[in-house]
Amino acid sequence: MTMDTVYYLLVVVLLKIQPSRGQCLSGCSCVDDRHGRSLICMEEGAFGSIPQNMPQDLTKIRIEKSHFTEIPRGAFLKTPALENLWLNFNDITVVNSKGLEGLGNLTELRLQGNKLRSVPWTSFEDTPALKILDLKHNQLDVLPEHALKYLPGLTYLDLSFNQLTVISKEVFQNWPLYQKLQSAEERDATGSGSNVVLALHDNAWLCDCRLKGFVEFIRSLSPPIILMNSYLSCAGPDFRAGRFFHEIELQACVKPVVSIPAANVSLPQGANVTLRCLAMARPDPVVWWTYGLKIIRGFHETQERMDEDTVRSLLVIPSVHVADRGIYTCTAINFMGNSSANVFLDIRSPDSSQTSSQPGPAAGQASVEENVYIDIRIAKQTVRGITIEWFAALDHPADTWFTVHFGRAGAEKKETIYIGPGINTYSVSDLMPATKYEICVTLKNKSPRLGQCIVFVTGSDITELEQREKLIHIVVIVLAMVLAVPVGMYACTTDTRLACVEGVLASWKNRQRERNSQRMEHERQGTFDSLQAASDEGLVNKESSDDRKARDFVAKMMSHES
């Protein structure tokens, strides 16, 4: 027999043997035993994804340390006989909702030591025979109420060493297996059967009112349902950290109730003050202070626990100034609701022996400051807002505070923003469309007077440019005439500009007639900002000193618009 003949016979033998059992993957081993055929891949980094050319007759697959990140849709459709699937210690972060499709015979799934933050629990609808589910050492932080709905035959569930904090007892009460075991007939029928094992230890259990039902469920468990580790412990809040479930008594959740020890505080200028509020709630609320509709960020705020259900918030204001006078609001919120309470802080200035008895800006008094000239104008305009700037003739500009009053025109209460010395601009954003606004600038806590406000109206139409750039909020067209004294300017929308222009012209004429009676001459510049020209800063300034120039200005604007 020649050597060629020997090679030929060897090839024939191999072709007859290999197709019958399938070919094993490179870097893996295939084992045959009485339970079927197994594929074992333990080589570090062997695969970047789940291999697609696995033998079809496999009953067990074990792939570990390959570092793939996903179980994609239909990953095991070619192995319908699969009963045991071990994918431990990879980097799996995503399981497709159809990742287990075609695995109707699967009884064991182990995903230990991966990076799962969530699991598509509906995917187990494709694995009705599943009995063992191992998810320990992952990053699961949520267990939905119907997570176990499609696991009626489960006898072992391991969720230990995850990041679960709060879950509802309904998760297990909705479990079909648990419901069966609660019936007397089922308990009698399975009295000598196998137990159902739950592993829930070493999670970040947050032992507040939200966990009340789950703690009670754990205490009620008895065979055939048993805990692998019955000593579940709290990870938080801090005053319960380390305590076991059987050592704590949790109360029902309640919405916050905020109280203020002193609702009115009066202090001399320059003093230090600490405002206090108590918030009782379950679970712990988020507490913050606001002043003038703004969250306070510049002052020092601390919180301290008074008892299990009460926290105290402290707002420290060093060296109070007259501008700090007003109403401070303490607000507490949790998922049950919110509550707030007010403190009125009154500041006694050195040159006054008494203060106003009512909260709000100080009453106007005859002084030099009341006659200070404040020139305010719109300096910049964007699709969603405006920026104003102002100039004031002051003797001591380094010590002067301003107050910006902003809100809808005609509204009784407006947002107040206190601006420190050396700043003369303020921006307003996120304006509503088709809305009339008013913004004023005053000294300290003075009430706005004529000439210290701007009234403007936001538009409602959207240009092609805005549609292209997806700027959908507002359109503002600013029209301002040259005025001899500090008075309001008006911004007109494109859909109402004719009526608005007539109003502005009439106002301008009246101001021209009063021109000679004013003590201070000041020339204002008109501004016109066309958003349809795609410019946020394209302010065109034009001078106007008489009626003819004013009409020329309006005509030019109208022609620019068209």
Side-chain angles (χ1 to χ4, degrees), residues 112-375:
Q112 175 186 353
N114 283 283
K115 298 178 180 179
L116 291 168
R117 297 187 67 88
S118 63
V119 173
W121 296 94
T122 56
S123 64
F124 295 115
E125 192 173 9
D126 293 320
T127 60
L130 195 65
K131 296 184 179 299
I132 298 174
L133 178 58
D134 184 357
L135 294 168
K136 64 175 169 284
H137 287 288
N138 276 278
Q139 300 172 19
L140 300 176
D141 55 5
V142 174
L143 203 60
E145 222 171 84
H146 296 282
L148 307 182
K149 180 179 179 180
Y150 298 110
L151 295 166
L154 210 61
T155 58
Y156 179 89
L157 174 62
D158 195 340
L159 294 169
S160 60
F161 296 95
N162 276 277
Q163 297 297 319
L164 296 173
T165 55
V166 176
I167 64 174
S168 168
K169 64 180 179 180
E170 280 76 17
V171 171
F172 298 96
Q173 291 178 344
N174 292 332
W175 187 13
L177 177 63
Y178 177 80
Q179 294 171 352
K180 288 181 181 179
L181 294 176
Q182 293 308 294
S183 65
E185 296 80 10
E186 191 68 24
R187 283 199 300 271
D188 293 341
T190 60
S192 58
S194 60
N195 290 320
V196 177
V197 179
L198 295 177
L200 299 168
H201 54 278
D202 289 284
N203 276 281
W205 299 118
L206 184 60
C207 296
D208 61 24
C209 64
R210 292 167 291 182
L211 208 63
K212 181 176 185 293
F214 177 67
V215 171
E216 293 173 349
F217 166 79
I218 293 298
R219 290 175 175 173
S220 69
L221 288 181
S222 59
I225 298 180
I226 61 175
L227 289 174
M228 179 181 292
N229 184 341
S230 59
Y231 289 93
L232 302 188
S233 60
C234 305
D238 291 342
F239 62 91
R240 288 199 181 105
R243 298 180 64 183
F244 295 114
F245 279 16
H246 64 267
E247 297 177 331
I248 61 174
E249 292 292 337
L250 300 178
Q251 305 297 318
C253 296
V254 296
K255 66 177 290 186
V257 176
V258 174
S259 59
I260 298 290
N264 290 277
V265 178
S266 181
L267 292 169
Q269 182 171 317
N272 298 328
V273 63
T274 300
L275 304 182
R276 296 173 172 83
C277 80
L278 297 175
M280 196 284 288
R282 289 193 297 266
D284 285 349
V286 176
V287 183
W288 69 87
W289 290 86
T290 55
Y291 176 51
L293 305 182
K294 292 290 185 181
I295 296 178
I296 296 174
R297 304 186 187 279
F299 299 144
H300 184 57
E301 184 181 358
T302 60
Q303 292 184 17
E304 56 188 25
R305 180 170 296 281
M306 306 302 292
D307 56 44
E308 288 191 0
D309 299 326
T310 307
V311 295
R312 179 167 67 176
S313 179
L314 307 175
L315 180 66
V316 179
I317 308 175
S319 186
V320 293
H321 191 274
V322 174
D324 297 323
R325 179 181 182 275
I327 296 176
Y328 291 77
T329 302
C330 176
T331 301
I333 184 171
N334 66 12
F335 78 96
M336 296 289 291
N338 64 80
S339 175
S340 61
N342 295 330
V343 179
F344 173 56
L345 176 62
D346 204 358
I347 308 300
R348 300 190 299 272
S349 59
D351 56 350
S352 63
S353 57
Q354 58 183 6
T355 57
S356 172
S357 60
Q358 296 298 324
Q365 301 176 6
S367 68
V368 176
E369 289 183 344
E370 286 187 347
N371 296 322
V372 169
Y373 175 87
I374 299 180
D375 177 20

Side-chain angles (χ1 to χ4, degrees), residues 465-501:
L465 174 65
E466 290 170 307
Q467 289 175 339
R468 187 165 61 251
E469 297 180 353
K470 298 182 179 180
L471 302 176
I472 61 174
H473 261 63
I474 62 169
V475 177
V476 182
I477 302 299
V478 178
L479 172 65
M481 309 312 299
V482 176
L483 304 175
V485 293
V487 295
M489 293 187 296
Y490 296 85
C492 305
T493 59
T494 55
D495 51 355
T496 60
R497 61 175 178 247
L498 290 176
C500 187
V501 166

